[in-house]
């Protein structure tokens, strides 16, 4: 494909697939600007704002400009945090426009053979297959437990990598054993009086690298009186695919997950990862143009609920004693949990019921931390700039414990703590782990 053919194909894709009404809904009012991390971090570059990106999409669609490296860069640099959506008076579905634009570009632009191989390995060969995810995690576990990690650090091998990657190696959680990853329950009974029957979306990374957090989540649900069903044939949520221009892959995964849960007769489907939850709740949009799946997707999405929401709804915080040793606790919102799932108060309400702690709200707690899936790997400069701002607010809170509700946010906050030399006195923890700790601390 020539460069001209590439540009024409992308323009045609924009014209055929981008919702013109949605593009026109943007009034260019600028209400989104103060909420956009890349607009602020770039020094108020209009091309790095939601309205600027929408203007670029429309200009390419209408043939006013050609798709080029600058347009590609603008769309690639977006975090996809969707903080612009709640503040938009016109209700523009920016996230859906961005996802479609990235998919059109990825499916039509020329890429090198190595990049194609990497994408196939990640998006087709790894994430859709939980057994392979467990094997990959097992290799990391061998690295951690065999002494190889100690040797690598001692000889200074990690110094050959960029600073943020070297730091990330230090904050990866201990990988559970292969046996623990393989021996996952398919159902669990409530502890005490039954209050609900729920399905649990275990996730791909959550059920490998963050297995202990999943275990904490399951225990909390049991204590809240939930009968839990955990289908073995569920898969990755597809968020990584959808955000990276691999929309067909996310559609395939969505169908697998809908099939896995739809006949279980559950009241809710619970997730403990904001990024996963936001994508699961969007399945009704993802499959809206497929007659055989649209209604099934809507019914699936209607049942999605975050862990914090179900605990509050079941009044778990009112009938459970939470207590921790004295410490200052703050909360860092997951962008997708807050902006897409509209869940911001429930986590704070749960934290406010823990005796012994002092809860202190972080400034701009709802702004992105810079993680955004694999953004901190592919766009390290912007990611670290955003993280630096987040760490200033963390320091100002004087928090001993930073609580999050998403694995990417958790790792990013751990990375920020490590980069700032605060790891001896500040920790980052998932809310499920903290709540269970608060129940069990005196045991």
């Amino acid at each position: 494909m020539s460069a001209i053919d590439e540009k024409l194909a992308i323009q045609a894709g924009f014209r055929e697939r981008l919702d013109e009404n949605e593009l026109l809904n943007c009034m260019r009012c600028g209400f989104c600007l103060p909420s956009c991390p890349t607009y602020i971090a770039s020094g108020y570059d209009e091309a790095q704002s939601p309205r600027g990106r929408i203007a670029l999409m429309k200009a390419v669609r209408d043939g006013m400009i050609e798709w080029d490296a600058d347009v590609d860069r603008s769309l690639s640099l977006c975090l996809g945090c969707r903080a612009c959506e709640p503040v938009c008076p016109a209700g523009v579905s920016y996230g859906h426009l961005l996802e479609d634009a990235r998919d059109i570009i990825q499916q039509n632009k020329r890429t090198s053979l190595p990049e194609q191989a990497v994408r196939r390995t990640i998006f087709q060969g790894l994430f859709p297959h939980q057994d392979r995810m467990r094997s990959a995690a097992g290799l990391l576990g061998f690295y951690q437990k065999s002494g190889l990690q100690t040797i690598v650090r001692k000889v200074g091998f990690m110094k050959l990598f960029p600073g943020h990657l070297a730091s990330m190696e230090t904050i990866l959680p201990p990988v559970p054993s292969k046996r623990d990853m393989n021996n996952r329950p398919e159902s669990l009974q409530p502890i005490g009086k039954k209050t609900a029957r729920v399905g649990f979306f275990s996730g791909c990374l959550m059920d490998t690298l963050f297995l202990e957090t999943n275990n904490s989540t399951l225990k909390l649900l049991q204590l809240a009186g939930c009968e839990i069903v955990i289908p073995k044939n569920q898969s990755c949520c597809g968020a990584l695919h959808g955000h990276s221009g691999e929309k067909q892959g996310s559609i395939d995964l969505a169908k697998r997950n809908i099939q896995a849960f739809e006949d279980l007769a559950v009241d809710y489907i619970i997730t403990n990862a904001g990024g996963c939850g936001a994508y699961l709740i969007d399945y009704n949009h993802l499959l809206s143009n497929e007659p055989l799946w649209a209604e099934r997707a809507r019914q699936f999405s209607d049942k999605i609920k975050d862990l914090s929401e179900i605990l509050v709804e079941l009044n778990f915080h009112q009938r459970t004693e939470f207590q921790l040793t004295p410490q200052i606790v703050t909360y860092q919102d997951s962008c997708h949990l807050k902006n897409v799932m509209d869940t911001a108060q429930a986590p704070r309400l749960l934290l406010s019921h823990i005796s012994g702690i002092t809860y202190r709200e972080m400034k701009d707690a709802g702004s992105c931390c810079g993680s955004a899936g694999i953004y901190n790997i592919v766009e390290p400069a912007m990611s670290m700039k955003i993280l630096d701002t987040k760490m200033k607010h963390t320091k100002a809170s004087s928090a001993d414990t930073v609580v999050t509700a998403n694995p990417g946010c958790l790792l990013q906050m751990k990375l920020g703590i490590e980069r700032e030399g605060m790891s001896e006195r500040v920790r980052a923890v998932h809310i499920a782990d903290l709540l269970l700790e608060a129940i069990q601390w005196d045991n």
Side-chain angles (χ1 to χ4, degrees):
M1 179 186 292
S2 68
I4 294 176
D5 290 337
E6 178 185 55
K7 293 179 179 181
L8 289 174
I10 291 172
Q11 182 191 2
F14 274 35
R15 190 166 53 246
E16 293 167 8
R17 289 181 51 192
L18 289 189
D19 188 333
E20 183 177 19
N21 291 328
E22 202 65 60
L23 290 169
L24 290 171
N25 278 343
C26 178
M27 303 180 296
R28 313 292 191 264
C29 66
F31 278 33
C32 59
L33 300 182
S35 300
C36 179
T38 54
Y39 174 71
I40 296 169
S42 65
Y44 310 107
D45 180 355
E46 185 70 24
Q48 304 308 333
S49 72
R51 74 174 181 184
R53 291 180 175 114
I54 290 174
L56 289 173
M57 293 180 207
K58 190 173 187 308
V60 171
R61 183 190 185 280
D62 295 344
M64 295 177 62
I65 63 172
E66 291 184 333
W67 174 83
D68 59 14
D70 290 336
V71 175
D72 192 40
R73 183 66 182 145
S74 174
L75 298 182
S76 297
L77 203 58
C78 179
L79 289 148
C81 69
R82 298 173 70 169
C84 51
E85 293 185 17
V87 299
C88 177
V92 176
S93 296
Y94 172 80
H96 297 157
L97 288 171
L98 177 68
E99 190 172 297
D100 283 339
R102 284 177 170 174
D103 184 57
I104 293 163
I105 292 169
Q106 184 58 44
Q107 301 312 314
N108 289 285
K109 76 174 183 179
R110 295 170 294 170
T111 54
S112 65
L113 290 177
E115 181 181 345
Q116 293 175 32
V118 169
R119 293 182 75 89
R120 277 197 304 271
T121 299
I122 293 174
F123 296 117
Q124 298 175 30
L126 182 59
F127 277 87
H129 308 281
Q130 193 61 12
D131 57 337
R132 297 177 190 175
M133 289 293 293
R134 286 192 289 265
S135 295
L139 290 175
L140 178 59
F142 174 79
Y143 166 75
Q144 292 177 335
K145 298 168 186 174
S146 65
L148 184 58
Q149 184 179 54
T150 302
I151 295 172
V152 165
R153 291 177 177 178
K154 187 173 293 186
V155 300
F157 180 73
M158 293 307 299
K159 293 179 180 179
L160 300 175
F161 293 86
H164 74 288
L165 288 180
S167 296
M168 287 180 71
E169 186 270 347
T170 67
I171 52 89
L172 289 173
V175 177
S177 70
K178 191 78 173 289
R179 183 177 64 181
D180 287 341
M181 287 189 284
N182 286 330
N183 295 333
R184 304 300 291 144
E186 293 187 56
S187 63
L188 291 167
Q189 293 302 307
I191 297 174
K193 182 181 178 182
K194 179 179 173 180
T195 56
R197 175 179 166 88
V198 303
F200 178 58
F201 184 80
S202 52
C204 47
L205 285 176
M206 289 303 299
D207 220 36
T208 49
L209 291 185
F210 298 93
L211 185 69
E212 285 307 310
T213 299
N214 267 5
N215 289 340
S216 296
T217 300
L218 293 172
K219 179 60 70 174
L220 289 170
L221 289 172
Q222 285 183 284
L223 290 169
C226 294
E227 177 189 359
I228 310 167
V229 185
I230 313 157
K232 287 284 189 182
N233 53 341
Q234 62 178 296
S235 188
C236 169
C237 69
L240 183 61
H241 295 72
H243 301 330
S244 303
E246 299 284 345
K247 192 170 184 178
Q248 186 56 53
S250 65
I251 289 173
D252 294 340
L253 291 169
K255 292 177 179 178
R256 285 171 58 181
N257 284 322
I258 291 169
Q259 287 178 318
F261 282 91
E262 64 184 349
D263 294 327
L264 299 180
V266 295
D267 303 312
Y268 307 107
I269 299 170
I270 307 303
T271 174
N272 59 4
C276 294
Y279 209 75
L280 295 170
I281 211 169
D282 247 1
Y283 278 4
N284 59 339
H285 169 77
L286 187 65
L287 297 171
S288 59
N289 294 324
E290 298 201 26
L292 297 177
W293 288 92
E295 178 58 21
R296 296 164 72 181
R298 186 195 64 77
Q299 292 179 13
F300 177 91
S301 295
D302 285 348
K303 291 184 177 182
I304 298 299
K305 195 176 288 287
D306 182 69
L307 169 67
S308 61
E309 283 188 296
I310 186 66
L311 293 180
V312 170
E313 186 169 313
L314 296 177
N315 212 29
F316 184 58
H317 58 299
Q318 296 285 5
R319 52 190 176 88
T320 305
E321 182 179 349
F322 298 99
Q323 187 167 353
L324 287 172
T325 54
Q327 58 193 280
I328 297 173
V329 174
T330 194
Y331 178 70
Q332 162 62 27
D333 286 281
S334 155
C335 292
H336 289 124
L337 184 60
K338 176 178 182 289
N339 301 324
V340 182
M341 297 185 74
D342 194 26
T343 298
Q345 293 308 312
R348 291 171 168 84
L349 183 59
L350 292 169
L351 293 174
S352 72
H353 277 74
I354 301 177
S355 299
I357 72 165
T358 299
Y359 179 79
R360 189 168 294 167
E361 186 72 12
M362 183 194 303
K363 180 183 178 182
D364 293 337
S367 66
C368 188
C369 63
S371 171
I374 59 171
Y375 187 93
N376 54 6
I377 297 175
V378 298
E379 297 289 351
M382 180 61 78
S383 175
M384 294 303 104
K385 191 171 185 179
I386 292 169
L387 178 59
D388 287 344
T389 299
K390 182 62 64 177
M391 293 313 299
K392 289 179 183 177
H393 298 329
T394 302
K395 288 180 180 178
S397 75
S398 301
D400 305 295
T401 301
V402 181
V403 181
T404 75
N406 186 61
C409 302
L410 178 60
L411 289 180
Q412 185 80 340
M413 295 308 294
K414 285 179 177 286
L415 177 59
I417 291 168
E418 179 71 21
R419 278 163 49 91
E420 294 293 330
M422 300 161 56
S423 56
E424 293 297 320
R425 57 185 181 85
V426 181
R427 63 171 178 162
V429 60
H430 191 283
I431 189 170
D433 295 314
L434 189 75
L435 290 174
L436 192 62
E437 178 187 341
I439 294 172
Q440 299 180 338
W441 79 253
D442 59 346
N443 293 341

